[in-house]
Amino acid sequence: MAAAATRFRCLYAPPLQSASRVLQRPSTTTSRAFATAAPEPSATDTTPQRRTTSFKDRLNAGPSLSEFVASDTQSLTPEDALELKTAMVGPKGKQKQITRLPEWLKTPVPVGENYKKIKNDLRGLNLHTVCEEARCPNISDCWGGSEKSAATATIMLMGDTCTRGCRFCSVKTSKAPPPLDPHEPEHTAEALSRWGLGYVVLTSVDRDDLADGGAYHFAETIMKIKQKAPTMLVEALTGDYAGDLEMVKVVAQSGLDVYAHNMETVEELTPMVRDRRAKFRQSLEVLAAAKEAKEGLITKTSLMLGLGEKEEQLWETLKELRKVDVDVVTFGQYMRPTKRHMKVEEYVTPAVFEMWRQRALDMGFLYCASGPLVRSSYKAGEAFIENVLKKRARKDQTAIADAAGEISQKASI
């Protein structure tokens, strides 16, 4: 058996003689260490030790972005501020000249607690704003005001995807946008009542894929806002509903305070600037129908300058607006959102904007906001409350005083 056992010895076992020599070898003193312990550097190791970085600490100790942007800069003279500067951009040998954005079109970085709160609430309730989608330069002023009641928010209803593709607009487009959110009217009303805003502008993408163009969805949102916040002033900036004036009437009679529909540009440039389904005369009919639908309703429109329009064309546009009794008009500078959109033909100076403001008031418009950074809903609450309502209240008081005077005269006779 012993002889047989040697034949079946494990092939991986060391020979018996060598194994005995290993057992008889004197033991050496070794130190045991945990597996996670860092090995001690050897005397022959020449790799330099990496120094602990303090970049993050130094970065946090420096000025914040808002402080950096708001740092003191040398004030420009009026001549320098109005001068358009150019610069060469691109790789060497392929550089091209571009025009720098004028000083009067530069805006501060959006900051402030009010701005953060509004943005967080919008994300939490899955709501969209034209302020973000259209990359409005005034979002810091409108959202970050010191007083909530003076702030203005422009909620974009019916999603963030439009069925039309205007050449000036950066909102996403699609032939088949996602379906409407049935909870959007309730969520919108809840968010606005929570913010405590004094004035809100509701707008929407065009939904030519819907039979009513989204008019009833729009009207339901306005009614729910008025239920939750009766004192809040509501402006509706609507599309043209493909010329369906009955849908215009539905929105105009839903309880809003201002009905707005933007002409965008003069009649001659409309085919090149707006989507082919948006027509100049059709927009005029929308404003006229809204005025007729509700007595005393204020109507409003907006025009962009810098698209290549001529002075006589602007005159004619204002005359057409007065024919349909539009109350408020705004002028603003067209600013190209991306390289895919139409180019800016001219940067109009603040002095020219002021000239058109005065001309509009002389023509009988109740109020006109005009400036490079003015948008249809920019500072809408402030402009509406201080200029339209107060002016109308003064007219009503004058009429009441005149009526009281006539009655007293008749009584004395």
Side-chain angles (χ1 to χ4, degrees):
M1 281 301 286
T6 57
R7 289 190 310 168
F8 295 104
R9 181 174 55 83
C10 179
L11 296 176
Y12 295 99
L16 294 176
Q17 294 179 355
S18 60
S20 62
R21 284 196 298 270
V22 170
L23 293 174
Q24 295 173 1
R25 185 179 301 163
S27 62
T28 58
T29 304
T30 59
S31 61
R32 298 179 63 187
F34 291 105
T36 56
E40 295 182 2
S42 62
T44 59
D45 189 6
T46 59
T47 304
Q49 292 292 322
R50 185 173 180 180
R51 181 174 59 85
T52 304
T53 179
S54 60
F55 173 74
K56 188 174 182 181
D57 294 334
R58 285 187 280 117
L59 184 65
N60 292 334
S64 64
L65 177 62
S66 59
E67 293 172 337
F68 176 78
V69 173
S71 60
D72 294 334
T73 56
Q74 186 177 0
S75 59
L76 298 174
T77 64
E79 292 77 13
D80 293 337
L82 294 177
E83 181 184 358
L84 292 180
K85 297 179 175 60
T86 60
M88 301 300 293
V89 297
K92 189 175 182 181
K94 297 182 180 180
Q95 290 184 329
K96 61 179 181 179
Q97 182 174 297
I98 63 168
T99 301
R100 293 282 189 188
L101 197 67
E103 292 296 325
W104 65 81
L105 288 176
K106 295 181 180 180
T107 57
V109 175
V111 292
E113 292 301 321
N114 213 31
Y115 170 83
K116 294 177 182 177
K117 184 180 187 306
I118 291 177
K119 188 167 185 176
N120 290 337
D121 285 348
L122 288 167
R123 298 291 84 79
L125 294 171
N126 194 28
L127 298 177
H128 305 279
T129 67
V130 74
C131 315
E132 296 172 298
E133 300 297 334
R135 306 181 185 186
C136 181
N138 303 309
I139 191 170
S140 176
D141 288 343
C142 288
W143 288 16
S146 57
E147 296 181 6
K148 284 186 181 179
S149 59
T152 302
T154 304
I155 303 295
M156 190 164 71
L157 303 175
M158 298 187 278
D160 61 351
T161 307
C162 186
T163 55
R164 298 189 183 182
C166 298
R167 294 184 62 200
F168 65 88
C169 184
S170 64
V171 176
K172 292 186 294 185
T173 61
S174 173
K175 291 182 179 179
L180 299 182
D181 178 7
H183 303 293
E184 186 178 51
E186 182 66 31
H187 286 172
T188 303
E190 177 62 30
L192 294 176
S193 62
R194 184 188 305 170
W195 296 338
L197 302 176
Y199 192 100
V200 64
V201 181
L202 300 177
T203 188
S204 72
V205 292
D206 281 295
R207 294 298 299 262
D208 297 297
D209 59 317
L210 303 176
D212 65 346
Y216 284 99
H217 187 88
F218 213 129
E220 182 186 357
T221 305
I222 294 170
M223 289 187 281
K224 286 191 177 294
I225 292 172
K226 287 294 186 178
Q227 289 172 3
K228 291 180 178 290
T231 59
M232 185 180 294
L233 298 169
V234 179
E235 174 185 325
L237 175 58
T238 76
D240 56 22
Y241 299 112
D244 189 344
L245 302 184
E246 284 300 316
M247 297 301 102
V248 175
K249 185 178 179 180
V250 168
V251 178
Q253 296 178 344
S254 61
L256 51 78
D257 299 285
V258 180
Y259 192 105
H261 175 68
N262 289 344
M263 304 296 297
E264 307 296 2
T265 187
V266 299
E267 186 171 12
E268 290 79 1
L269 295 181
T270 296
M272 286 75 75
V273 174
R274 303 172 70 187
D275 185 274
R276 59 181 177 80
R277 289 163 285 187
K279 302 175 178 62
F280 184 86
R281 296 290 162 182
Q282 185 169 274
S283 292
L284 285 176
E285 292 173 0
V286 168
L287 290 166
K291 196 73 171 179
E292 296 171 0
K294 181 182 177 183
E295 184 179 358
L297 180 65
I298 290 177
T299 52
K300 175 181 173 182
T301 193
S302 182
L303 293 166
M304 294 181 291
L305 303 187
L307 294 166
E309 65 286 336
K310 294 181 171 51
E311 186 173 350
E312 58 271 16
Q313 294 172 345
L314 277 173
W315 273 117
E316 192 60 34
T317 301
L318 293 178
K319 291 176 183 177
E320 292 291 339
L321 291 173
R322 288 306 299 140
K323 288 179 183 178
V324 295
D325 202 18
V326 172
D327 299 296
V328 179
V329 63
T330 66
F331 296 98
Q333 170 70 51
Y334 165 64
M335 297 174 69
R336 190 183 191 186
T338 69
K339 291 182 179 180
R340 299 191 308 271
H341 296 81
M342 61 187 303
K343 294 181 179 180
V344 177
E345 296 295 329
E346 178 188 6
Y347 286 115
V348 183
T349 63
V352 174
F353 277 106
E354 175 59 26
M355 178 187 70
W356 281 110
R357 187 191 73 85
Q358 192 57 52
R359 286 177 174 179
L361 294 175
D362 293 341
M363 292 181 68
F365 285 96
L366 193 60
Y367 175 71
C368 175
S370 181
L373 291 173
V374 168
R375 294 297 179 264
S376 178
S377 55
Y378 173 54
K379 293 287 188 181
E382 178 184 346
F384 182 88
I385 294 169
E386 293 185 0
N387 296 279
V388 178
L389 280 184
K390 291 182 179 180
K391 192 171 183 177
R392 178 165 287 184
R394 287 196 297 269
K395 286 184 177 181
D396 292 342
Q397 290 173 359
T398 303
I400 293 172
D402 292 342
E406 292 177 2
I407 293 172
S408 61
Q409 288 179 0
K410 290 180 180 178
S412 61
I413 293 172

